[in-house]
Amino acid sequence: MADEDLWRVLRGIADMPYGAGQIAALEQLLRRVDAADDRHLAFVTRMQATTGYVYGGESAKSFVTFSWCLSEFDRDPQPYHQRHLHQLLWHFKYMVSGLLKFPDVPLDRTYGVLDDMERRYRAGGHSLQTVHKHRFRVADHVGDAEAAAHWYRLWQTTPRDELSDCAGCDPTSQVGYLADTGRDAEAVALAEPVLAGRLTCNEQPQAILTALLLPYLRTGRGESARDAHREAYRRLRGNLADLWDIGDHIEFCTLTGNEARAVELVERHLDWLDRPPSPAAAMHFAATAAAALRQAGRIGAPTVYRRAADGRPAGEVPALTLADELAETATALAARFDARNGTAHQSEWIASRLAVRASGAHLPLSASVRRRPARPSGDEPGIHRDRGASPATSDRARAGDETTVALPADAGPDELLTLAEESWGRHDRATFRAALAACDDRFGTDDLAPRTAAHRLALRAAERGDEDDIAGAIEMNRAALSRYREAAEEVPAQVVAGRLGVLLTRSDDDAEEGLALVRAAAEVLDRLGDARQRAAGHDRVALALLHRERWAEAGAALDRVPADAGGDRHLAARIALHRAHLLEQSDRVDEARAAADEARRIGRELGVGELITAACLTYVRTVDDPADAVAACDEALAVAPAAAELPVRVARARALLSAGRAPDAVDDFVEAVTLCVERGAEGDAFLRWELANAYRIVGRLGEAAEVAEEAVLGLDRLGAQAEADRCRHLLAGVYAGLGEIDPALALLERLADNLDGPDNLPHRAQVLEEAGGILYDADRDAVAAERFAAAATAYRLADLPLDELRARRREAYAWFWSDDRPSAVRAIELVDGLAATLAGQPEQSPPVTYELAIAAEAGARVLTGEDRPDEALGRLVGVPDRLRSIEAFGEAAQVEILIGELLLRLDRPAEAEPLLRRVLGGLPADSRPVHQTAWLLARALDLLDRPEEAAALREEHDLDQDD
């Protein structure tokens, strides 16, 4: 590769984002540069590598490149060295800061670099302000408070110059020192004018905002602290080099009672400890993460997901076990630093980090979780629950648990069990539980009559079913059935057999046994049972068949149920719900809605919130008008039991989104996620994905990014790759909207890699094209062209010629604007081949007409750039008319402007003038092409020797003669 090509590669690498990709490119280039034996290029490449290593999270490598450059500078000074002297002196600051972070590097070496830095700064006539600052940092690191105060005063009183840190970084270090010495108000006051100004450094404003977290919090500025956390963390979250600062944000979440968010941040960055930017960053992150996990363990967080690494599989790790592991890591690293420094300062400092606990009022930080999960009563450090354990839930749930039920004091066991049975059928869960408990408390379980014992077991089975403990319910129903048969109680035995059969049909393995049981039970009850029992028997047959998705047979079973359900209105409501479900699955939506409405009406009459809620949710799924759906959700929400609040919130959020009420939908999605987290329920990752989309729709992109990141992490954890990739696609668009181009591109690159199968070719092509569009808009045209070319190839493999044409056309434009005209011409040749194939089709749809016309324009513009105006003009014959035929009037005008320009280039002003005048007359007055068209028309008038008209036109449109 020629030296000029290597320089061009270096310039391209300089435009890459900091990180592993840039570092890999730099190291590959270094090998080529050394082989080329170009000292200048080798020096500049290593200077770039020093910066890349520091900001890319591999600062240890920067020591080597810096030393090489410094040695080369001193050994044989060259003219080009002077052009890079400022940068070389600047790099001394990286070295001092970096050497401190590695405990195996002797402190004397750091002092030696500082002395050399001071010598060179003095020799160059530079201020020692930044030298004093770095002597302060060393003193602060080793815990020499007196020396730190001395160097801080010198740093603050020495004039700044061009080698001083930027207007954001210097105050950041000051804020940190003031906060550490208890001067929070001064820290906040110092930062205010800095934040009000313009910060352009790579490290700002996220660094100063991070330094302000605790000063804001301790001076009562909770809102400012929350905003600083959100803004800063969003900028830090993708940069390995910022692992230390991410630890500060984890600690802030712990302090403010946001344990769930702290754990999410730990999970997100935990694998960075496998490749930390420095031992110091690993120590700090490990300590803050350990404190966060211990705090979370106190309120029931059970496990943390850790990604795979060399020799370690991915998996769930108990939170408190991991906390101990991280604490040990942090403590051991602190001891190594202290051994190097000859002090105990780092160990003392890490111990204080490990002791951090929530203090003060809870400060909500999360964009997805509204409340802090309640601490279980009597919880102690070291106690934690499974994900499936019952957590504290909403006030309404607790109030329901505490309902007092009056029971007859003289009731016997059969009376209490009958009351429980009746209450269960009426959906009166409080009386049901109270009567069962009273029976056990008063009469025990050992001395009950066989029939009574069987009845009790049947009701306990019902209780287990209500708790979704299907295995427990099956076991107890089998025991109850056996007892009833032993007691020769045929009718109650068949009732239990039917219930057991329904439960068994929920499993593929036991389905046939279940169907046989439930059918046999219905036939016996038809002969021996009362009207209600007969109706319930056939309803259970229908329900079992619904479980097996045997819709026609389920419908036949429901047809055998008496219209009045044996006089039981509660049973009638349940039957209507089952019918609605059946009709919904059979795509008989109107009938399903009517059945749901019937169940809803009966539920209202009975005043049973559980029935109303179930009916409303079914109704919502079958109604077309989202406003009707919202109204049904509102009705359900007013009466829903605590356990049903989550699905109602989700349904309402989706309905609000469909109704165009995205801001209201956000609130419901947030509440739904909160309920999921509070209850330890799986599924919050899917809800966060929906919440992120709602935030995107309302334009709250920062919160959309935060929540989508949480969702991707959760979906990956669940192994839901397809959903995780769709969420990544959403997140990439959000990043692009925030102007965070590189994170957006990184996500799209990952998506393209994930979508590498033949079935995914269209989606892969779309992702590659989107990446090209982002790069094109960012003026990174050559890389954009490569993405468009890759997209076109994927479209071709997917047999999508129209999409391939569009991607090739965009590729040609990107090469054109990157000033690679030969590549642009080659792309146009591919465009021409595709266009010829599509133009040969007997009928052209509007999209085909449009793309063929725009492809012709692209070819004309590329040929114009190649100074081939005759060929360019020939491509545009008839194009404006074709565009107008599909009502693409703006594009037609743009092509006619290009035709006018080409006519002028070909010295044909008489033809250009009437065309341009007509186009100008048809353009909206404030549209962008007006200025260009007026300029071209004035030029045509000049060439036609009509200067007065040209001058009047220029005056009308405020054009300069020399434009």
Side-chain angles (χ1 to χ4, degrees):
M1 183 179 285
D3 284 359
E4 182 52 43
D5 291 332
L6 293 173
W7 279 104
R8 185 167 57 250
V9 172
L10 178 59
R11 288 191 292 270
I13 291 173
D15 290 334
M16 292 175 68
Y18 294 121
Q22 189 197 52
I23 287 172
L26 279 164
E27 292 177 344
Q28 183 181 45
L29 177 61
L30 271 172
R31 290 190 289 271
R32 295 177 177 175
V33 165
D34 288 344
D37 197 26
D38 184 326
R39 290 180 60 196
H40 184 191
L41 182 56
F43 182 85
V44 176
T45 302
R46 282 178 170 82
M47 291 289 287
Q48 177 66 49
T50 298
T51 303
Y53 286 139
V54 169
Y55 286 106
E58 297 187 36
S59 57
K61 294 180 178 180
S62 71
F63 304 155
V64 177
T65 51
F66 171 79
S67 298
W68 189 97
C69 291
L70 190 64
S71 175
E72 177 76 4
F73 183 91
D74 290 340
R75 181 179 63 82
D76 184 17
Q78 297 291 321
Y80 60 79
H81 285 150
Q82 292 302 314
R83 294 198 296 273
H84 299 282
L85 176 58
H86 178 275
Q87 187 181 11
L88 187 65
L89 293 174
W90 190 278
H91 283 177
F92 269 95
K93 298 187 286 185
Y94 295 163
M95 296 304 106
V96 174
S97 298
L99 292 170
L100 278 181
K101 298 172 182 175
F102 289 82
D104 295 333
V105 177
L107 204 57
D108 286 347
R109 183 176 175 190
T110 303
Y111 285 127
V113 172
L114 258 173
D115 292 342
D116 189 21
M117 176 182 178
E118 180 172 342
R119 179 182 64 78
R120 292 174 189 267
Y121 276 45
R122 286 186 186 277
H126 301 293
S127 170
L128 297 184
Q129 190 256 9
T130 196
V131 177
H132 298 327
K133 173 180 178 177
H134 284 77
R135 291 196 185 278
F136 155 78
R137 297 186 73 165
V138 175
D140 188 56
H141 169 77
V142 301
D144 188 341
E146 185 177 345
H150 167 74
W151 291 115
Y152 182 83
R153 284 191 298 272
L154 282 179
W155 165 28
Q156 297 306 303
T157 55
T158 302
R160 291 171 53 83
D161 72 354
E162 70 278 3
L163 284 171
S164 295
D165 283 344
C166 78
C169 290
D170 247 7
T172 296
S173 301
Q174 292 173 251
V175 166
Y177 180 68
L178 293 171
D180 289 344
T181 53
R183 296 148 69 183
D184 291 320
E186 290 180 59
V188 172
L190 173 70
E192 284 177 351
V194 177
L195 291 171
R198 178 178 174 81
L199 299 173
T200 57
C201 169
N202 286 323
E203 301 175 39
Q204 301 299 343
Q206 59 269 30
I208 194 167
L209 289 173
T210 300
L212 283 166
L213 291 173
L214 297 187
Y216 276 149
L217 192 62
R218 293 191 296 240
T219 56
R221 296 171 169 85
E223 290 289 334
S224 297
R226 175 170 55 210
D227 293 345
H229 164 67
R230 285 182 171 174
E231 172 69 12
Y233 177 72
R234 187 171 58 78
R235 292 173 179 268
L236 297 167
R237 69 196 183 287
N239 302 321
L240 176 63
D242 293 322
L243 183 62
W244 179 293
D245 285 356
I246 287 168
D248 286 337
H249 285 270
I250 291 170
E251 182 174 275
F252 177 71
C253 292
T254 303
L255 276 169
T256 53
N258 290 274
E259 291 86 357
R261 180 164 175 78
V263 171
E264 285 170 358
L265 267 58
V266 171
E267 284 188 326
R268 188 177 300 172
H269 301 286
L270 185 59
D271 63 324
W272 288 12
L273 281 180
D274 298 320
R275 56 186 195 286
S278 68
M283 174 183 71
H284 180 55
F285 178 89
T288 58
L293 294 173
R294 286 174 175 172
Q295 176 78 5
R298 291 184 179 86
I299 64 166
T303 62
V304 174
Y305 180 75
R306 180 159 58 181
R307 295 180 182 88
D310 290 341
R312 186 192 69 218
E316 300 283 346
V317 183
L320 296 176
T321 301
L322 182 58
D324 291 342
E325 177 187 324
L326 294 174
E328 183 178 343
T329 296
T331 302
L333 283 168
R336 289 173 58 196
F337 277 106
D338 285 342
R340 189 269 306 268
N341 299 338
T343 71
H345 179 67
Q346 291 297 316
S347 292
E348 293 167 357
W349 186 78
I350 285 299
S352 68
R353 305 274 65 74
L354 290 169
V356 165
R357 300 288 182 269
S359 61
H362 174 230
L363 177 66
L365 298 178
S366 175
S368 58
V369 179
R370 176 166 287 152
R371 296 179 295 279
R372 181 186 184 190
R375 184 189 304 273
S377 60
D379 202 12
E380 299 293 340
I383 296 174
H384 53 97
R385 285 192 310 269
D386 309 321
R387 287 187 186 276
S390 299
T393 56
S394 67
D395 291 339
R396 178 166 49 180
R398 289 191 292 272
D401 290 341
E402 295 167 3
T403 301
T404 301
V405 177
L407 298 172
D410 58 348
D414 287 323
E415 292 173 280
L416 288 171
L417 293 176
T418 299
L419 176 60
E421 177 92 44
E422 292 171 350
S423 301
W424 185 64
R426 295 195 305 269
H427 301 267
D428 179 357
R429 300 298 187 242
T431 304
F432 169 68
R433 288 193 298 268
L436 268 180
C439 182
D440 286 355
D441 291 344
R442 296 180 190 179
F443 305 103
T445 60
D446 296 334
D447 299 326
L448 298 176
R451 186 186 188 284
T452 306
H455 195 184
R456 177 189 169 278
L457 283 170
L459 293 173
R460 286 297 181 189
E463 182 182 42
R464 293 289 183 90
D466 287 345
E467 294 168 355
D468 211 27
D469 177 7
I470 303 305
I474 288 172
E475 181 182 355
M476 286 196 167
N477 268 315
R478 287 193 188 278
L481 180 58
S482 176
R483 292 288 188 92
Y484 272 131
R485 285 175 173 166
E486 288 173 7
E489 294 284 349
E490 184 66 13
V491 170
Q494 295 304 326
V495 171
V496 171
R499 293 173 184 170
L500 174 60
V502 170
L503 292 171
L504 291 171
T505 56
R506 297 175 67 163
S507 161
D508 290 341
D509 294 339
D510 301 320
E512 290 307 314
E513 179 191 358
L515 285 171
L517 278 172
V518 77
R519 282 171 165 157
E523 295 305 322
V524 172
L525 291 173
D526 255 355
R527 291 186 287 103
L528 304 178
D530 60 27
R532 186 203 172 281
Q533 290 167 336
R534 291 194 297 274
H538 290 298
D539 178 54
R540 283 191 287 269
V541 173
L543 186 55
L545 290 164
L546 286 173
H547 286 165
R548 305 315 304 162
E549 299 184 0
R550 291 160 67 165
W551 313 124
E553 294 173 75
L558 282 174
D559 288 342
R560 296 184 66 182
V561 177
D564 66 349
D568 185 336
R569 298 294 284 161
H570 294 85
L571 177 59
R574 293 194 292 273
I575 291 169
L577 282 171
H578 297 157
R579 190 180 301 278
H581 177 63
L582 167 64
L583 292 166
E584 182 184 0
Q585 294 300 319
S586 304
D587 291 327
R588 294 160 63 181
V589 178
D590 291 340
E591 295 171 80
R593 184 166 57 251
D597 222 16
E598 172 68 7
R600 191 174 169 192
R601 183 182 62 77
I602 298 172
R604 289 176 188 146
E605 290 175 5
L606 297 172
V608 177
E610 184 179 342
L611 289 173
I612 296 170
T613 301
C616 286
L617 286 172
T618 304
Y619 180 83
V620 165
R621 294 195 302 269
T622 61
V623 73
D624 293 327
D625 187 347
D628 285 349
V630 172
C633 289
D634 289 341
E635 180 181 358
L637 205 56
V639 298
E645 184 180 355
L646 176 57
V648 176
R649 286 286 182 188
V650 174
R652 188 173 189 271
R654 291 169 179 166
L656 287 165
L657 209 57
S658 298
R661 295 169 56 186
D664 296 327
V666 163
D667 289 338
D668 272 313
F669 276 128
V670 169
E671 183 64 22
V673 173
T674 303
L675 289 168
C676 257
V677 172
E678 286 179 339
R679 297 172 185 180
E682 297 288 355
D684 63 287
F686 295 94
L687 292 176
R688 289 176 203 254
W689 174 19
E690 294 189 73
L691 171 59
N693 185 51
Y695 274 130
R696 179 193 63 82
I697 291 170
V698 299
R700 295 164 63 176
L701 297 185
E703 289 149 301
E706 175 187 324
V707 178
E709 288 162 0
E710 296 168 356
V712 166
L713 185 69
L715 292 166
D716 278 342
R717 181 175 180 170
L718 293 171
Q721 181 177 329
E723 291 80 2
D725 283 346
R726 289 171 63 194
C727 191
R728 284 188 179 93
H729 191 225
L730 167 72
L731 182 55
V734 171
Y735 283 158
L738 288 166
E740 297 178 9
I741 302 304
D742 293 317
L745 292 171
L747 277 178
L748 292 173
E749 290 294 327
R750 177 167 179 178
L751 279 174
D753 290 342
N754 289 352
L755 298 168
D756 59 351
D759 294 340
N760 291 323
L761 280 170
H763 303 296
R764 174 180 169 82
Q766 179 188 352
V767 165
L768 289 167
E769 188 176 3
E770 287 180 21
I774 291 172
L775 288 161
Y776 185 80
D777 291 340
D779 292 329
R780 290 154 68 173
D781 298 310
V783 187
E786 293 171 357
R787 296 297 183 279
F788 287 135
T793 299
Y795 281 132
R796 176 175 56 78
L797 294 172
D799 195 24
L800 295 169
L802 184 62
D803 297 296
E804 182 186 359
L805 174 63
R806 180 187 63 249
R808 289 295 181 195
R809 182 250 302 168
R810 299 182 77 181
E811 177 196 353
Y813 269 130
W815 287 126
F816 179 78
W817 291 114
S818 73
D819 210 24
D820 187 342
R821 300 303 167 83
S823 294
V825 171
R826 285 194 295 272
I828 286 300
E829 290 170 356
L830 294 172
V831 167
D832 289 345
L834 290 164
T837 300
L838 287 168
Q841 295 177 351
E843 292 186 11
Q844 289 184 10
S845 64
V848 172
T849 299
Y850 180 86
E851 282 301 335
L852 289 173
I854 299 302
E857 180 193 12
R861 291 193 185 278
V862 169
L863 292 174
T864 300
E866 288 291 284
D867 199 25
R868 294 157 63 181
D870 276 318
E871 295 175 67
L873 186 62
R875 285 175 173 265
L876 298 177
V877 174
V879 170
D881 289 336
R882 291 200 293 275
L883 286 168
R884 279 190 286 267
S885 74
I886 57 172
E887 300 184 358
F889 300 113
E891 291 87 341
Q894 196 64 52
V895 171
E896 288 184 318
I897 295 168
L898 177 58
I899 291 172
E901 178 184 346
L902 290 168
L903 289 170
L904 292 177
R905 285 176 179 243
L906 292 167
D907 198 25
R908 294 160 62 181
E911 297 172 67
E913 186 266 338
L915 171 66
L916 292 169
R917 189 177 295 281
R918 178 171 56 78
V919 172
L920 183 62
L923 291 172
D926 57 350
S927 63
R928 290 173 57 186
V930 165
H931 187 279
Q932 178 190 9
T933 308
W935 188 91
L936 290 170
L937 179 56
R939 179 64 181 150
L941 292 169
D942 286 335
L943 293 172
L944 292 170
D945 198 23
R946 293 156 64 180
E948 294 85 359
E949 293 178 68
L953 188 64
R954 290 190 175 98
E955 182 177 358
E956 178 185 353
H957 292 280
D958 196 24
L959 301 175
D960 193 292
Q961 177 76 34
D962 299 324
D963 281 350

